[in-house]
């Protein structure tokens, strides 16, 4: 019963706060920019093959994962920042159900983020290819994997984001850390260890969504589960052991 009550509370928080809406709008802007830079700006010779066209969707998949992760991190760091975590734990002294509810609801929100990002990218790409007279080489199966895989990848990132937020506790630090990891750390790692990025959370999500041929979808999903579980467990333990100031 405690978990059910917390689930309802978390769902209400997600629906009633402006942060979630702002994240959606920011993601929409990033995807729109990605469309302009990839679908419209690239030469036709760079979009002629199936592999070329699939690579276009990498930004959409990354955007869905990143903003899902941010939503998960903010779900707990916002409460710590504004002090609402104290009455939350007073009402529910057992902290486990609170974290469980945040993980579950953040995962659900992550699915929405991932699905929306992939839908926006898919719709814009189809229109863009048609407007430029470029033959669409992707199949229905490709689009199905993009939508389902992208949504699942974002859900795992959201759960990991809750763990990261619980560990770091500082909202700005968590947001900067997740963003830097997605767009800087994974890219820079390729310069030091070629192929390393495919085994990292962002690369795993790309594999799961089918817009990367460097790793199978099954392996990508397995690694994402491990990452999400590890961060969620670490955040869970940190929350149970730390004092709430």
């Amino acid at each position: 019963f405690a978990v059910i009550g917390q689930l309802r509370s978390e769902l209400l928080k997600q629906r009633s706060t402006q942060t979630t809406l702002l994240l959606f709008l920011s993601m929409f802007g990033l995807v729109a920019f990605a469309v302009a830079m990839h679908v419209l700006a690239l030469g036709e010779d760079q979009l002629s093959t199936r592999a070329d066209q699939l690579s276009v969707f990498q930004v959409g998949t990354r955007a869905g994962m990143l903003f899902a992760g941010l939503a998960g991190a903010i779900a707990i760091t916002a409460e710590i920042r504004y002090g609402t975590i104290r009455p939350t734990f007073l009402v529910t002294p057992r902290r486990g159900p609170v974290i469980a509810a945040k993980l579950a609801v953040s995962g659900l929100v992550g699915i929405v983020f991932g699905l929306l990002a992939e839908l926006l990218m898919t719709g814009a790409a189809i229109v863009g290819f048609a407007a430029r007279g470029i033959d669409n080489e992707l199949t229905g199966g490709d689009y199905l994997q993009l939508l389902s895989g992208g949504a699942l990848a974002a859900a795992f990132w959201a759960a990991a984001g809750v763990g990261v937020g619980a560990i770091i506790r500082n909202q700005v630090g968590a947001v900067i850390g997740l963003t830097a990891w997605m767009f800087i750390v994974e890219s820079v790692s390729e310069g030091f260890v070629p192929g390393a990025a495919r085994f990292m959370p962002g690369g795993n999500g790309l594999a799961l969504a089918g817009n990367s041929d460097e790793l199978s979808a099954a392996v990508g999903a397995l690694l994402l589960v491990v990452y999400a579980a590890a961060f969620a467990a670490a955040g869970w333990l940190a929350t149970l052991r730390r004092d709430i100031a």
Side-chain angles (χ1 to χ4, degrees):
F1 292 105
V3 174
I4 293 175
Q6 283 301 315
L7 285 171
R8 291 174 177 171
S9 176
E10 287 301 319
L11 286 169
L12 177 61
K13 291 172 186 176
Q14 290 289 350
R15 294 198 307 266
S16 59
T17 59
Q18 292 185 341
T19 303
T20 304
L21 177 59
L22 291 174
L23 287 174
F24 272 120
L25 293 175
S26 299
M27 185 182 71
F28 181 87
L30 180 59
V31 172
F33 176 75
V35 170
M37 293 300 295
H38 292 76
V39 178
L40 302 179
L42 292 177
E44 291 187 17
D45 60 321
Q46 296 174 289
L47 296 170
S48 59
T49 67
R50 175 178 174 274
D52 291 336
Q53 293 178 7
L54 276 174
S55 69
V56 167
F57 290 89
Q58 289 192 6
V59 177
T61 304
R62 286 189 183 276
M65 291 188 291
L66 172 61
F67 283 95
L70 295 179
I74 291 173
I76 189 165
T77 57
E79 290 214 59
I80 295 172
R81 179 179 182 182
Y82 294 108
T84 57
I85 196 71
R86 290 191 292 272
T88 296
F89 285 148
L90 284 175
V91 173
T92 310
R94 292 177 58 208
R95 298 181 182 183
V98 176
I99 302 303
K102 288 186 181 296
L103 287 168
V105 173
S106 294
L108 180 62
V109 171
I111 289 175
V112 176
F113 270 98
L115 189 59
L116 180 59
E118 297 291 5
L119 283 171
L120 288 172
M121 199 73 191
T122 297
I126 290 174
V127 172
F129 292 155
R132 298 186 60 188
I134 298 173
D135 292 334
N136 191 331
E137 301 294 334
L138 304 186
T139 66
D142 292 327
Y143 286 116
L144 180 60
Q145 186 172 357
L146 283 167
L147 295 174
S148 60
L152 284 174
F156 291 132
W157 263 75
V162 174
V164 170
I167 295 167
I168 297 178
R169 302 185 67 179
N170 180 275
Q171 188 173 94
V172 175
V175 169
I176 292 176
L178 286 169
T179 305
W181 180 273
M182 176 64 80
F183 292 120
I184 299 176
V185 175
E186 293 202 7
S187 297
V188 172
S189 68
E190 282 293 302
F192 294 97
V193 183
R198 61 182 172 175
F199 296 108
M200 295 182 178
N204 300 157
L206 296 181
L208 182 54
N211 49 22
S212 172
D213 58 1
E214 296 183 345
L215 206 65
S216 70
V219 174
L222 177 60
L223 289 175
L224 267 181
V225 169
V226 172
Y227 280 122
F231 280 110
W236 188 303
L237 290 175
T239 304
L240 294 180
R241 294 176 178 178
R242 285 175 176 170
D243 292 331
I244 301 299

